Amino acid sequence: MLKKRIPLYATILMTVAGMAISAIIALSIQNSNNQSIKEEDKSLSSCTPEIKRLSGMEFTKPLLFADISTQSASLLPVKNQLEVLINNYKLSGTIQTASVYLRELNKSEWISIGDSEKYFPGSLLKVPELITFFKMNEKNPGLLNKHISYSTAFNLPKQGYYLSKSIEVGKSYTVKELLYYMIAYSDNNATMLLNQQMDVEVFRKVFTDLGLPSPDLTKHDIPVTAKEYSYFMRALYNASYLDIRDSELCTELLSHSDFDKGLLNGLPKNTKVAHKFGEAGDASAAHFGESGIIYLNDSPYLLVVMTKGKDNKSLPAVVSDISKKVFEMIHPA
């Protein structure tokens, strides 16, 4: 059987056409890849890392924090729900405002609400004071075992609404025991006794080392944002400011805090939490905040909630509801 021969010019045309089509496809794929790279580069450039290092050394600058600058897309549903909850409390008149900082500690994913709002931390300042005494102990080993006598009762200008155990007049306590009373029971008498021994320059340096403004100690309180306050808790969890042993001791001490009307009230019973609350206020509003590291399996997270409202009696319930909502959305049943 004879085969029909294809003219030479047709063969040439078909070859050229095939080469043209291949070139068009290759160019299309290359443009698509280039576009993907550009989009990826744009995404990466919008999430540049923020690095905080400890200064003051001649040859080293130890790493304190390494942050992604943008909030987490995966946590935006949590943020949206918290904003609804906060707005409802505003509409009811329970609060004037509330701020939240949430961070998944093993993922570096975070969200923030009310970033720029400042609050009076009150007893939350006992955490940087705790860190201060461990810093002082680095320079003067044995300081934590020093005995201090509580000989005369303090005339405190204002008593906290939430009171627990307190040191007793006429007894002597080690610095470490006073730190326990200060953190576990938020005892202002123990705090006042410790204040007499505290190196205020070391206290100021704790703030500035973590990238915060030097506190004005002539003022009654030191206003901070929720995110700013998170640095103290993160420094302990990361063991990036104190050594590992001291960071472990401080954080373990925070797990003994007996206040259970805020963060703990929104969590399952027996959840391990290293936390501290604080209450303060002025003529315009009561301030209540709480910060805690919540240890759940392999997914620990840090939650800082700060509120302003009518009175400190109603504000812990707001913190509790926020804590409950975060837990339900991060660890659904």
Side-chain angles (χ1 to χ4, degrees):
M1 186 178 201
L2 296 176
K3 295 182 180 178
K4 187 175 180 180
R5 298 182 63 183
I6 299 174
L8 179 60
Y9 74 87
T11 302
I12 294 172
L13 287 174
M14 290 172 64
T15 302
V16 171
M19 292 173 64
I21 291 170
S22 297
I24 291 170
I25 293 172
L27 184 61
S28 175
I29 292 172
Q30 183 177 358
N31 288 339
S32 176
N33 288 341
N34 287 342
Q35 182 64 29
S36 297
I37 291 171
K38 287 179 182 178
E39 289 177 357
E40 184 178 353
D41 287 345
K42 183 179 179 182
S43 174
L44 289 173
S45 66
S46 65
C47 289
T48 53
E50 294 179 350
I51 305 296
K52 287 187 183 294
R53 292 184 178 274
L54 187 62
S55 60
M57 279 65 69
E58 184 177 357
F59 298 107
T60 62
K61 293 193 74 174
L63 179 66
L64 290 171
F65 310 117
D67 289 334
I68 296 173
S69 60
T70 54
Q71 298 190 47
S72 169
S74 65
L75 290 176
L76 285 181
V78 181
K79 181 174 181 176
N80 292 337
Q81 289 295 313
L82 293 181
E83 287 176 333
V84 170
L85 183 61
I86 289 169
N87 285 333
N88 287 338
Y89 270 116
K90 285 181 180 178
L91 290 172
S92 71
T94 306
I95 62 172
Q96 295 176 4
T97 186
S99 296
V100 178
Y101 180 82
L102 168 65
R103 186 178 192 87
E104 292 186 294
L105 292 167
N106 286 351
K107 299 179 183 179
S108 292
E109 304 281 346
W110 65 278
I111 54 170
S112 181
I113 298 171
D115 308 65
S116 60
E117 189 72 32
K118 297 271 189 177
Y119 298 83
F120 294 141
S123 287
L124 284 170
L125 291 175
K126 291 170 181 174
V127 173
E129 182 161 349
L130 172 68
I131 295 171
T132 296
F133 271 93
F134 275 81
K135 271 294 178 187
M136 291 166 59
N137 191 64
E138 289 178 3
K139 295 181 179 180
N140 299 289
L143 171 66
L144 298 181
N145 296 319
K146 177 183 176 180
H147 279 81
I148 302 172
S149 296
Y150 182 35
S151 56
T152 306
F154 292 107
N155 183 21
L156 298 175
K158 184 180 179 181
Q159 284 286 357
Y161 186 83
Y162 298 99
L163 300 176
S164 185
K165 296 181 183 179
S166 179
I167 57 175
E168 299 177 28
V169 175
K171 291 189 176 182
S172 178
Y173 300 86
T174 65
V175 169
K176 192 171 183 180
E177 288 171 333
L178 292 172
L179 290 172
Y180 187 91
Y181 271 87
M182 180 179 77
I183 296 298
Y185 310 127
S186 202
D187 180 16
N188 287 333
N189 291 310
T191 305
M192 291 291 287
L193 207 55
L194 287 166
N195 287 349
Q196 296 177 350
Q197 306 292 320
M198 185 176 69
D199 186 331
V200 294
E201 292 308 314
V202 177
F203 182 76
R204 286 193 178 97
K205 196 170 186 298
V206 170
F207 281 74
T208 56
D209 280 348
L210 298 182
L212 300 173
S214 178
D216 183 353
L217 300 182
T218 66
K219 304 293 185 182
H220 177 66
D221 215 330
I222 304 167
V224 293
T225 67
K227 184 176 181 178
E228 286 173 339
Y229 188 80
S230 74
Y231 295 151
F232 300 117
M233 304 295 283
R234 290 178 61 195
L236 290 176
Y237 182 80
N238 293 340
S240 56
Y241 189 61
L242 301 174
D243 67 26
I244 295 174
R245 174 179 164 277
D246 288 348
S247 296
E248 180 76 7
L249 285 171
C250 287
T251 312
E252 192 250 342
L253 183 54
L254 286 162
S255 73
H256 289 276
S257 173
D258 68 349
F259 183 75
D260 60 1
K261 294 176 174 58
L263 294 181
L264 266 60
N265 196 43
L267 297 169
K269 288 187 181 298
N270 300 320
T271 301
K272 186 185 296 183
V273 183
H275 64 117
K276 185 71 191 78
F277 80 98
E279 51 179 316
D282 54 21
S284 62
H287 295 234
F288 182 89
E290 191 169 6
S291 176
I293 301 167
I294 295 88
Y295 299 87
L296 286 167
N297 302 322
D298 296 323
S299 302
Y301 61 92
L302 168 62
L303 182 61
V304 184
V305 184
M306 293 189 168
T307 63
K308 295 178 190 177
K310 291 179 179 178
D311 57 72
N312 284 325
K313 183 179 180 180
S314 58
L315 295 178
V318 180
V319 175
S320 174
D321 279 354
I322 289 173
S323 176
K324 182 179 181 182
K325 178 63 69 176
V326 169
F327 174 81
E328 289 174 345
M329 296 195 72
I330 291 184
H331 296 274

